[in-house]
Amino acid sequence: MRPGSSIKLFQEKTIRSTWNEEEELWYFSLVDIVEVLTNSADPTDYLRKLKKRDPELKSYLGTNCPKVAMVTESGKMRKILAGNARHIFRLVQSIPSPKAEPLKLWLAQVGYERLQEIENPELAQERMKVLYEEKGYPKDWIDKRLRGMAIRQNLTDEWQERGISSDREFAILTAEISKATFGMTPAEYRSLKGLAKKNENLRDHMTDLELIFTMLGERVTTEISQKEQPESFPKSREVARRGGRVAGVARTETERELGHSVATPDNFLGESDSSKRRRVASGKKD
């Protein structure tokens, strides 16, 4: 998530939000959503009572919705329950309100980056390409990064087809692929690269080779899953290990030929010029 939060307006009411770089989705304050739908004087209490009346909703929000640091009315940062558009659609089902449909349209407009990626991938790719160019990334690296996003989206779509829905399950499967590919979980990889902040996207700090082997592990996992159609989470987890293992074997052979590790602590932290970015993206050392 990005540090802090931004304020968005829905029918002149404020809704706190923050952008999740990893998922490329907006996350919104659920309390603020409740307030605009109900005009409640105490939306926090309303949400609490709503979850008490609807155990299924309580379980859904508790499983899927993270607590994200956002600015309070007093100007302080506090962690509050937040959800993306999919989570909010589920919340709306439990709150009869004439504002439900306008809110859904508003969410679609505010989250156009992610939604347009589904409808028109070229628009989303152009948007992301410009963003990375402004950050100083070289064109060949950007092409790989965008291709990696498409492969990742195909994988998450396949997982959803297999009945996987919670963020926790996605994180576990992703960690299995990473562990088999690089010998590290994403958290351990972030530590290697010195990425302390949650808003620092690991893949934005990968070299060409790191991106290539990440794509290989995820693409092979997708292919195996589509072929075998695992019917449970444990089976999908084993498929993730196998897909990552294929990339891991290829990485090991590559390292043997090159004489150095593919995984590197190099990153793009604190860089204002594009020359270091080009050097890191190409895998070259000072």
Side-chain angles (χ1 to χ4, degrees), residues 262-274:
V262 166
T264 169
D266 287 344
N267 58 53
F268 297 142
L269 293 177
E271 296 300 329
S272 57
D273 62 299
S274 61

Side-chain angles (χ1 to χ4, degrees), residues 8-284:
K8 301 193 178 299
L9 295 177
F10 170 72
Q11 297 183 352
E12 299 184 352
K13 294 212 172 182
T14 60
I15 297 180
R16 289 166 291 177
S17 63
T18 189
W19 179 251
N20 186 308
E21 297 284 357
E22 186 68 24
E23 298 181 44
E24 298 176 28
L25 292 172
W26 284 107
Y27 271 72
F28 305 90
S29 163
L30 295 190
V31 168
D32 293 352
I33 295 293
V34 169
E35 183 176 6
V36 301
L37 287 174
T38 65
N39 291 321
S40 172
D42 190 344
T44 300
D45 185 59
Y46 188 103
L47 181 58
R48 185 183 303 113
K49 291 179 178 177
L50 185 64
K51 291 191 291 184
K52 188 175 181 179
R53 291 196 305 267
D54 188 344
E56 183 180 334
L57 174 68
K58 180 179 180 180
S59 175
Y60 179 85
L61 297 182
T63 300
N64 295 283
C65 296
K67 287 193 173 181
V68 179
M70 294 188 183
V71 180
T72 64
E73 291 184 357
S74 62
K76 296 181 179 180
M77 295 295 293
R78 292 285 186 271
K79 285 193 173 183
I80 61 175
L81 198 62
N84 59 36
R86 175 167 57 90
H87 306 144
I88 292 170
F89 288 167
R90 173 62 184 86
L91 176 62
V92 167
Q93 293 175 15
S94 298
I95 305 178
S97 170
K99 295 182 180 180
E101 289 306 315
L103 178 68
K104 291 178 182 179
L105 294 175
W106 178 83
L107 286 170
Q109 180 180 356
V110 172
Y112 76 94
E113 294 95 344
R114 179 65 183 86
L115 297 175
Q116 282 191 339
E117 183 178 343
I118 297 173
E119 297 296 330
N120 190 340
E122 291 184 2
L123 285 179
Q125 285 196 352
E126 286 303 314
R127 176 178 58 82
M128 293 303 298
K129 187 177 295 185
V130 170
L131 176 63
Y132 282 117
E133 286 174 349
E134 290 176 348
K135 290 181 178 181
Y137 289 90
K139 184 179 183 303
D140 58 347
W141 183 96
I142 294 173
D143 290 340
K144 292 181 183 67
R145 182 71 177 95
L146 294 180
R147 181 57 185 156
M149 289 179 183
I151 289 174
R152 174 66 183 181
Q153 184 61 53
N154 289 337
L155 175 59
T156 57
D157 288 345
E158 169 60 20
W159 280 341
Q160 288 177 334
E161 285 291 323
R162 307 278 72 84
I164 295 163
S165 58
S166 75
D167 294 339
R168 180 174 179 275
E169 289 176 327
F170 278 101
I172 291 172
L173 295 180
T174 300
E176 292 289 0
I177 298 174
S178 177
K179 184 75 172 179
T181 301
F182 297 104
M184 294 177 285
T185 64
E188 292 167 338
Y189 216 142
R190 289 174 59 83
S191 179
L192 172 69
K193 288 185 175 289
L195 306 178
K197 299 178 181 179
K198 291 183 178 180
N199 67 302
E200 292 164 348
N201 189 307
L202 172 61
R203 300 185 193 207
D204 284 352
H205 294 272
M206 287 184 168
T207 65
D208 278 6
L209 283 176
E210 289 173 310
L211 287 176
I212 288 169
F213 287 111
T214 297
M215 286 189 281
L216 178 59
E218 294 192 335
R219 185 60 212 171
V220 173
T221 298
T222 302
E223 294 282 347
I224 297 174
S225 184
Q226 290 174 339
K227 176 183 177 182
E228 300 185 1
Q229 299 184 3
E231 298 177 350
S232 67
F233 177 74
K235 290 182 179 179
S236 285
R237 192 169 186 174
E238 179 57 30
V239 168
R241 292 192 189 103
R242 289 162 56 196
R245 195 177 303 129
V246 171
V249 170
R251 174 188 59 82
T252 300
E253 289 298 315
T254 299
E255 290 175 340
R256 183 177 292 112
E257 291 292 334
L258 297 179
H260 64 78
S261 175
V262 166
T264 169
D266 287 344
N267 58 53
F268 297 142
L269 293 177
E271 296 300 329
S272 57
D273 62 299
S274 61
S275 60
K276 173 68 181 295
R277 297 181 188 279
R278 291 189 175 90
R279 179 185 64 75
V280 174
S282 65
K284 297 178 181 178

